[in-house]
């Protein structure tokens, strides 16, 4: 149990920093591209994982060698984790810092070594003067500030290509320290369009998790009419196990369709816009889960598993694309007004959206099991997912009208 909790925490925790770091080092166009690639590789990785779970490893050589099919699955998980950890550690070379004498301060300052060559990203490629930081702790990404203060230096990767107005002029005032009080203040003072976005994201994840947590059980009990509580050598239990395996194939279809839809989104975006894609993802998922609940047939259910991928890709990309869009609009407004204030920090908004995922897990985990016990059938999870998703459609429609 400790291992499962630790793994789940790590998997959930990594998503927010990834997106905030993406916002730090990329231009607006690259943010959209990065989010699409994030959804694409998430779908491909999910397809590989579900494919491993869908195979019967119990009678294979690996299953006999390691003891059981579950140990084979964990072996592949550990192997994949080890390979990609090594790739990650050596994929982005960090630029070293050197101490140089500072004219304005008796203490040594930190300067990035090496030529300021243009690296990743599509931001302005213009020559820049070195940015001096008075403390090693001041070298941090911009959006990790909860209050959106101006950065005192470039981030470790963005120093070579991210040219901002605040980096071109010296910063005299001390940056405010992050405290729990300032974090809560930033969340409670969140603009209304961010708050609406968080609520719709919560509804979307609650609907998606309602379906995903019990989908294989739904396939085993409702579609295949098996019994998980029967004797393990009985026909009812074997039928249930077969349904679970086919459910894994359905989740594999979901992951593949998520990867494909994340690519198709780029072609649909110019025609219906971000908010249109957001509404369409919720609506397609709501209608698809309704049909699965009403017509629990094997072939129909597997075909309709593709709508899960539409929802998954929508949840991974559209809300964060909207945050990037809002940030760009705020920066343009500040430029037109000629003000010196900086736009709201995007790190707190990424964190708020990620918190909605955890809150949805808590709500679904605490209430869905009791709902299944009260109804006496797991078909209620599919109908709940459909209902919450369609409610999310209504909320998104109101949200779009409010923002516009």
């Amino acid at each position: 149990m400790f291992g499962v909790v630790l793994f789940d925490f790590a998997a959930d925790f990594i998503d927010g920093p990834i997106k905030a770091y993406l916002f730090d080092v990329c231009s607006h166009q690259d943010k959209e591209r990065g989010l699409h690639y994030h959804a694409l590789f998430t779908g491909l990785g999910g397809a590989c994982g579900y494919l491993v779970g869908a195979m019967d490893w119990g009678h294979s050589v690996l299953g006999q060698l390691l003891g059981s099919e579950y140990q084979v699955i964990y072996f592949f998980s550990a192997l994949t984790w080890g390979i990609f950890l090594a790739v990650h550690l050596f994929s982005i070379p960090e630029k070293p810092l050197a101490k140089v004498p500072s004219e304005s301060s008796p203490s040594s300052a930190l300067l990035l070594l090496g030529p300021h060559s243009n690296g990743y990203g599509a931001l302005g490629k213009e020559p820049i003067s070195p940015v001096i930081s008075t403390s090693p702790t001041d070298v941090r990404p911009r959006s990790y500030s909860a209050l959106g203060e101006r950065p005192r230096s470039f981030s470790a990767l963005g120093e070579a290509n991210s040219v901002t107005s605040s980096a071109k002029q010296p910063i005299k005032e001390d940056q405010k320290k992050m405290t729990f009080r300032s974090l809560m203040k930033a969340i409670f003072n969140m603009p209304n369009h961010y708050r609406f976005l968080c609520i719709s994201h919560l509804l979307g994840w609650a609907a998606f998790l309602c379906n995903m947590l019990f989908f294989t059980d739904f396939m085993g009990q409702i579609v295949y009419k098996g019994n998980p509580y029967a004797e393990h050598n009985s026909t009812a239990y074997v039928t249930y196990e077969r349904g679970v395996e086919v459910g894994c194939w359905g989740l594999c279809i979901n992951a593949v369709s998520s990867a494909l839809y994340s690519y198709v989104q780029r072609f649909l975006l110019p025609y219906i816009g971000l908010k249109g894609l957001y509404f369409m993802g919720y609506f397609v998922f709501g209608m698809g889960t309704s049909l699965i609940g009403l017509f629990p047939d094997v072939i129909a259910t597997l075909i309709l598993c593709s709508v899960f991928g539409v929802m998954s890709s929508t949840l991974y990309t559209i809300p964060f694309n909207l945050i990037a869009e809002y940030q760009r609009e705020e920066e343009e407004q500040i430029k037109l007004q000629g003000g010196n204030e900086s736009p709201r920090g995007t790190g707190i908004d990424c964190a708020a959206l990620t918190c909605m995922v955890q809150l949805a897990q808590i709500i679904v985990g605490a209430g869905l099991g009791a709902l299944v016990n009260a109804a006496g059938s797991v078909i209620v999870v599919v109908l709940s997912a459909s209902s919450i998703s369609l409610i999310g459609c209504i909320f998104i429609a109101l949200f779009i009208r409010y923002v516009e």
Side-chain angles (χ1 to χ4, degrees):
M1 285 301 297
F2 176 77
V4 171
V5 170
L6 185 63
F7 166 78
D8 191 56
F9 168 78
D12 290 335
F13 173 79
I14 194 64
D15 194 57
I18 283 176
K19 290 186 171 70
Y21 191 58
L22 175 73
F23 285 179
D24 272 334
V25 300
C26 294
S27 67
H28 181 70
Q29 292 79 7
D30 282 345
K31 289 174 188 176
E32 293 183 356
R33 189 180 300 115
L35 289 170
H36 285 305
Y37 277 124
H38 179 265
L40 172 65
F41 287 116
T42 299
L44 292 177
C48 294
Y50 291 129
L51 188 62
V52 172
M55 294 182 178
D56 184 11
W57 297 101
H59 300 90
S60 65
V61 177
L62 275 177
Q64 295 174 0
L65 183 64
L66 296 177
S68 71
E69 59 178 336
Y70 301 106
Q71 287 170 299
V72 175
I73 293 172
Y74 274 98
F75 167 76
F76 278 114
S77 299
L79 181 65
T80 306
W81 174 82
I83 291 172
F84 283 100
L85 175 65
V87 171
H88 171 73
L89 290 176
F90 295 100
S91 62
I92 304 176
E94 297 288 345
K95 290 186 178 295
L97 294 172
K99 288 187 177 182
V100 294
S102 175
E103 298 178 358
S104 59
S105 175
S107 60
S108 297
L110 292 174
L111 185 64
L112 287 162
L113 290 177
H116 293 285
S117 58
N118 291 329
Y120 174 77
L123 290 175
K125 311 287 186 180
E126 55 185 277
I128 57 174
S129 58
V131 179
I132 304 299
S133 174
T134 58
S135 169
T137 58
D138 289 335
V139 183
R140 60 178 131 180
R142 172 164 62 104
S143 69
Y144 275 88
S145 166
L147 302 178
E149 294 91 350
R150 292 178 179 272
R152 299 185 64 170
S153 177
F154 290 112
S155 62
L157 179 63
E159 80 287 345
N161 49 45
S162 300
V163 181
T164 61
S165 59
S166 59
K168 296 177 184 177
Q169 53 188 353
I171 303 299
K172 296 182 179 179
E173 67 274 8
D174 291 329
Q175 189 172 9
K176 296 179 182 179
K177 291 183 178 180
M178 165 69 80
T179 63
F180 183 76
R181 182 179 179 182
S182 64
L183 176 65
M184 291 295 101
K185 184 178 178 182
I187 291 177
F188 287 123
N189 292 337
M190 183 180 290
N192 286 332
H193 49 279
Y194 286 112
R195 191 173 289 111
F196 273 87
L197 183 60
C198 285
I199 296 173
S200 60
H201 198 56
L202 172 64
L203 291 172
W205 270 106
F208 187 68
L209 291 173
C210 275
N211 183 71
M212 300 301 287
L213 290 180
F214 283 87
F215 180 72
T216 53
D217 198 39
F218 170 81
M219 286 292 292
Q221 290 194 55
I222 304 301
V223 179
Y224 273 78
K225 297 179 173 59
N227 184 6
Y229 308 106
E231 294 292 334
H232 284 203
N233 57 355
S234 64
T235 304
Y237 185 81
V238 173
T239 304
Y240 172 80
E241 286 285 291
R242 177 59 182 163
V244 170
E245 289 181 5
V246 175
C248 288
W249 283 105
L251 294 178
C252 184
I253 294 173
N254 146 60
V256 172
S257 66
S258 175
L260 293 175
Y261 184 70
S262 65
Y263 183 76
V264 173
Q265 275 184 351
R266 302 177 62 181
F267 300 100
L268 296 177
L269 183 61
Y271 299 100
I272 60 179
L274 283 173
K275 299 183 181 74
L277 284 173
Y278 203 20
F279 179 86
M280 188 177 75
Y282 279 56
F283 181 77
V284 169
F285 179 78
M287 295 304 297
T289 48
S290 297
L291 293 174
I292 288 175
L294 294 174
F295 307 102
D297 179 72
V298 178
I299 302 300
T301 301
L302 289 177
I303 293 173
L304 289 170
C305 281
S306 57
V307 304
F308 303 165
V310 173
M311 185 64 160
S312 174
S313 179
T314 299
L315 292 172
Y316 276 118
T317 56
I318 304 300
F320 297 94
N321 268 325
L322 286 171
I323 284 182
E325 186 70 25
Y326 294 152
Q327 183 195 25
R328 185 179 65 84
E329 291 175 358
E330 289 172 7
E331 289 175 351
E332 289 178 353
Q333 273 188 348
I334 291 172
K335 282 183 181 178
L336 290 175
Q337 294 172 359
N340 294 323
E341 60 177 318
S342 60
R344 175 183 174 86
T346 54
I348 187 64
D349 301 318
C350 291
L353 279 180
T354 305
C355 286
M356 296 303 104
V357 182
Q358 323 312 326
L359 184 57
Q361 289 184 13
I362 294 171
I363 294 173
V364 172
L368 198 58
L371 187 62
V372 171
N373 290 333
S377 173
V378 291
I379 198 171
V380 71
V381 301
V382 177
L383 299 179
S384 298
S386 174
S387 301
I388 297 173
S389 181
L390 293 177
I391 291 172
C393 285
I394 299 173
F395 194 85
I396 290 172
L398 296 175
F399 159 64
I400 293 172
R401 183 178 180 182
Y402 173 81
V403 172
E404 294 179 349

